[in-house]
Amino acid sequence: MTTQIAIGNLLCSDGSNIPLGPIAVTDSSASQEVTTDPAFTVTAQTVGDYAQGKTIVQGFVSSKTHVGWAYILRNGVVGALIPVCSRTAGGSGSVGDLPLCNAWTLRAGDKVLLYTEA
């Protein structure tokens, strides 16, 4: 078991950014929530509570190693997949914001979840 530091960014259709992390995510059998970056948003919040009504069009979530997947969850249903990348020398590096498969309008309670492996 290792602990990963997850960071990321979501870009909205109006050009605003939603900074994610840094948050410690442990390898486990379940996805864990990645909240907003308190350095920019004052407190760590779920993305839906922070940017309710905004439409996400691009973004990424990154951890150092063994990142599996990231997605937005609304009421137990996966709403959008978020591109992931690794920050290791042999990984995908800092790729910047990548387009989402489908634009997603946030509602209160929407969460970004990330899965990492050992």
Side-chain angles (χ1 to χ4, degrees), residues 57-97:
V57 293
Q58 294 181 345
F60 74 96
V61 178
S62 172
S63 80
K64 188 170 181 181
T65 58
H66 305 295
V67 60
W69 56 78
Y71 55 94
I72 297 176
L73 188 71
R74 176 185 293 162
N75 297 330
V77 177
V78 174
L81 298 175
I82 301 172
V84 295
C85 60
S86 171
R87 295 190 312 266
T88 60
S92 49
S94 178
V95 296
D97 295 330

Side-chain angles (χ1 to χ4, degrees), residues 45-60:
Q45 307 170 53
T46 64
V47 293
D49 293 342
Y50 174 72
Q52 184 175 359
K54 293 196 178 222
T55 301
I56 299 171
V57 293
Q58 294 181 345
F60 74 96

